[in-house]
Amino acid sequence: MKHFLSFFSGLVLFVLYSSSIHAQNTTDTRLLWQPAISNDHIAFIYAEDLWVANRDGSYPQRITVSEGVESNPVFSPDGKMIAFTGQ
């Protein structure tokens, strides 16, 4: 019984760890890069996708979802459009 409990607890930890590998952690901001700033918003790359948030960082929205890599966001002069490179 002791070996079964040890195996079971190891299995539970493995499942929890493996599920966390594939999930994106939106509270961990160490992967944010290439920020572009307009009067009202910030565009940035996170996990190879383009995101936009209010200037204070609130209400982040994922703009692209693809297997390719997005990069180099730039706001238009009026701040209404974003140009970026995508694969």
Side-chain angles (χ1 to χ4, degrees):
M1 182 70 173
K2 187 175 183 180
H3 294 290
F4 175 75
L5 290 176
S6 176
F7 171 77
F8 183 72
S9 62
L11 180 62
V12 168
L13 288 175
F14 174 75
V15 169
L16 290 175
Y17 175 74
S18 12
S19 65
S20 68
I21 290 174
H22 300 291
Q24 289 184 354
N25 181 359
T26 57
T27 61
D28 185 7
T29 59
R30 290 179 289 178
L31 298 177
L32 301 179
W33 59 299
Q34 298 181 347
I37 301 172
S38 75
N39 289 335
D40 300 320
H41 295 93
I42 299 170
F44 55 90
I45 304 300
Y46 174 74
E48 300 179 344
D49 284 317
L50 177 65
W51 290 68
V52 175
N54 291 335
R55 252 188 106 129
D56 64 0
S58 65
Y59 198 59
Q61 296 179 353
R62 188 182 208 172
I63 303 299
T64 62
V65 179
S66 65
E67 292 182 17
V69 177
E70 282 73 38
S71 61
N72 305 315
V74 177
F75 280 99
S76 62
D78 63 3
K80 293 182 180 181
M81 294 187 283
I82 304 170
F84 63 95
T85 303
Q87 293 180 347

